[in-house]
Amino acid sequence: MAESGIKRSRDGELETVVNIQGCTTEGDLLFAQKCKELQGFIRPLTDLLNGLKMGRFERGLSSFQQSVAMDRIQRIVGVLQKPQMGERYLGTLLQVEGMLKTWFPHIAAQKSSLSGSRHQMAK
């Protein structure tokens, strides 16, 4: 299993550190790469989650809708922070990617440096 962790970059953004040596398949590597690309969405998702927790959306959503939204957002952030989950969840991650790009069109996906490591994995 790949070792990974979360660290803060110099600008304060959360960033996942991925050791791709544990990526056993091309799909695992692709999943880890996608997670890295979508790291920029963690902050706006966290802001949205905090707004839900503080009751900012009480008028527009029922309490059930709020709890479902909070659960889903927490799950999405959790997946983005665990790139070692692997290719089993790649289809779901691609669907989440489309949703995130629709919700937050002003946020660009980060370029991943993992794609150059594909050659190292084959060695």
Side-chain angles (χ1 to χ4, degrees):
M1 180 174 280
E3 291 181 29
S4 67
I6 299 172
K7 69 175 189 175
R8 276 199 198 273
S9 63
R10 290 183 186 188
D11 60 358
E13 288 290 320
L14 288 178
E15 180 177 303
T16 302
V17 180
V18 181
N19 176 2
I20 62 157
Q21 291 173 348
C23 294
T24 56
T25 68
E26 194 73 22
D28 289 345
L29 182 62
L30 183 58
F31 183 86
Q33 181 178 353
K34 246 330 150 192
C35 285
K36 178 71 175 160
E37 289 173 9
L38 299 175
Q39 290 290 303
F41 291 101
I42 291 176
R43 175 168 275 162
L45 284 169
T46 303
D47 291 344
L48 185 59
L49 180 62
N50 290 335
L52 283 162
K53 287 179 179 178
M54 293 175 16
R56 187 181 334 160
F57 306 106
E58 279 183 352
R59 284 187 182 173
L61 301 173
S62 69
S63 62
F64 175 74
Q65 289 171 321
Q66 289 177 41
S67 67
V68 169
M70 286 189 284
D71 177 64
R72 297 299 187 261
I73 292 169
Q74 288 170 334
R75 287 174 187 244
I76 290 168
V77 170
V79 168
L80 293 178
Q81 293 175 338
K82 294 179 184 171
Q84 73 275 12
M85 289 177 66
E87 74 178 304
R88 185 168 97 181
Y89 299 100
L90 185 57
T92 303
L93 185 62
L94 294 174
Q95 290 178 347
V96 167
E97 177 185 27
M99 180 191 67
L100 290 173
K101 288 181 177 182
T102 300
W103 284 3
F104 307 105
H106 57 285
I107 305 222
Q110 298 175 7
K111 296 293 180 196
S112 175
S113 59
L114 295 178
S115 57
S117 304
R118 187 172 286 148
H119 299 294
Q120 292 177 351
M121 190 177 96
K123 290 182 182 179

